[in-house]
Amino acid sequence: MPPKAPKAANPAVTLPVRQLAEFLRQSGSLDSRFGGFDRAQEGARLHRMLQRAAVKEHPDYQAEVALKETLACAGVDYTLEGRADGIFTAPDGVVTVDEIKSTTLPIDALNAAQPPEHWAQGEIYAALHARRQGLAAVRVQLTYYQIDEETTLRFAKAYTAPELDGILIGLLTEYAPWAKRAAAERLARDESLQALAFPFSSYRPGQRAMAGKVYAVCQSGGQLLCQAPTGIGKTMSALFPALKSLAAGVRGTVFYLTARGTTRVAAENALALLREASPALSLRSVTLTAKDKICLCERRECSPDACPYADGYFDRRKEALWHALDTPALTAQALQSIARAHRVCPFELGLDASLWSDVVIGDYNYLFDPVVRLRRFFDGKGDHIFLIDEAHNLPERAREMHTARLVKSDFTAAKKQLGKPKSRLKAALGRVNTLLIGWRHRCEEAPDARFGRVVFQKEADSALDRALTALCEPLQDWLDEHREGETHDALLALYFAVREWLRVAETYDEHYVLQVTASGSEVTLTALCLDPSAFLAQDLARGRAAVLYSATLAPPGYYKDLCGIPEAEAVALRSPFPQKNLGLFCACDVSTRYKDRQASIDRVAGYLAAMAQGKTGNYLAFFPSYAYLQAVYDRFLELCPGIPTLKQESGLDEAGRAAFLAQFRPDPAQTLLGFAVLGGVFGEGVDLAGERLIGVAVVGPGLPQVGPRQEQLREHFEATRGSGFDYAYRFPGMNKVLQAAGRVIRTPSDKGVVLLLDDRFTTPAYRALMPPHWSHIQNVTSIDALQGFLSAFWQN
């Protein structure tokens, strides 16, 4: 008889306890009317409070007990892991597993028939603990803390060990088809990634070096800061080695995080190229898109009463997800199509699919924003890889994520909209308004010598924080009773603003300053995050490796510092394009300092005319403000009435931006000069290759406007780093300059000019921030001299 074939090993699946319980037992509808603020962070704080109280009641109370068990069931080798909120011995001698939940449900709605996923989570922990300790019986206790009433309720059930084992085995058996699918897909993915070849016939100059650095940090762990000039192919240079590291044993998810939608599309396109070049590639990606953009309803309202896709979502989720997992590239369009077919929310379907995906593409906020962060991945440290595109944007984005603002008129308007009858809500609004009036008086009595009615305070306003906390309960009660209308919308927006303020108040420390500004009767309070580096360090530590890359990351020490990665390796790659293709000139007889701007208008307009007349083509000129732009624009029209122009208007929507860029056509018959704001929507992330753009002028070094906020940043970084002006002004300004200049040369065949207008560009402090491929910059001291240089450049 022929020998028997060896028995195939069971697939091995590691599964968090909470994920198992919620996936199988969660039911009902989505309802996020009071979500959106940092409920999870608040819940963690309440957990700690209840755990401390439990220790006083039960001396043997153990909090956050790590439990892990490996067992075979239904043809799957499971490894279950998680942390029980608490385990203690009750007075009757029965070991009790405590599962703590915070809730805003009314007291009379809390009962022993609470969400079945809560019981399931407690039961799994109890089963694992009984197995570990050899216990005959365990009690499961659900401890609910009602946030608004500040009341604790407990419900308990007693189980024998065989009963708990039966529950556990039942859940694992039910999950087995999903586990087997995940294991089979992981095996197919790893095999196909091992065979995956680079999708192009050769590497571009610098591309192999970047890919090698990325692969090394993905394998070893740690962080990499990479300045990679335009043309290297940064997206593929980051994605390809990160995916290869998955095949080499990295078990986490690759997160491709971006600051804008255009770079998310670049990541999708890179994955499409890999799939096209390697048809056998087994890889799933999901693109997470903002709720407002992916919502299937005319008006987004995430409640079962208003949205058919939210009503009963969890009852239809598993069927929709099983279908979704048949699609390798879950883009926004793919998710919407599947969501319509199964009548589920496409945004939530994308989040659920992310747990089954190898690559997650999305905005920075899915990792760095404490409100939006994907807690299903980032409650603890994972084996994930973070690819942070356009990382020069990260410090400022993070600063905004951890900054909160309140406006006095929102509170007075809310009180007025409630009408004349007295109420708890109106009284609470009145108390907040009284405190804000007090701040207005302080601004009037002690104005800032430089900026007028502005007051700064290092300490938080604890009295205001208490008043805002007291406002939340009656405000939420009112919103619960009034579900629609203009007043509802206004009070809901105020509710979120208050919750955001209180969230920031939880982390307020020496990295913050309280800024209060009065204007007429209006008062604006800002809890300004000056230094986000500590927050970013915590977030990046949630994965095994982080690669932060951009064309402009100079100086590297500044970005390593503010991004919270002081020990990261920093590399700067040279441009892959011929240096001779870029004509780089500095008009060093111009000063664009604020005091000199009026006098510089004629000269700047003259230089722009010389650039535009050097060769027929499309040009962009970037200015530090709309006012300066307008003044030079008017003068340019007088000098060159025959040259068509475009002017960026403030508040352009997506259609307006597209219409502006559409005017930059290839092979134009006549010259076009566009006027835009430096650091605006056209200053980065715009790809006008070839003849669509042959020249850029940057007027001034891009320094942020002097104001209360920037001066607070300067003072903070002068005190903490000894480099206040650099951190607040010079470094972020030059980044905008380099980004704008980078619009010109996009491919190896492109040829174009960059004209810098300001004498400061000639000083060592600014030259040190210029990339190596700018070493051939030529200073010009007259418009005639520029015309001669341009003539020679274009003739060559």
Side-chain angles (χ1 to χ4, degrees), residues 104-123:
T104 58
L105 284 172
I107 291 288
D108 56 9
L110 294 171
N111 53 60
Q114 280 309 301
E117 67 268 20
H118 294 174
W119 283 113
Q121 192 173 346
E123 289 161 351

Side-chain angles (χ1 to χ4, degrees), residues 399-400 402-407 436 439 454-461 464 501 504 508 512-517 523-530 708-709 712:
R399 184 175 284 128
E400 284 301 309
H402 292 278
T403 291
R405 294 176 182 83
L406 293 174
V407 180
L436 298 181
W439 272 114
V454 181
V455 170
F456 297 100
Q457 177 174 295
K458 284 293 185 184
E459 301 78 22
D461 185 343
L464 177 63
W501 182 276
V504 168
Y508 193 101
Y512 281 86
V513 67
L514 183 63
Q515 176 183 332
V516 188
T517 305
V523 181
T524 302
L525 280 78
T526 304
L528 173 61
C529 176
L530 300 168
R709 176 185 180 276
Q712 285 298 303

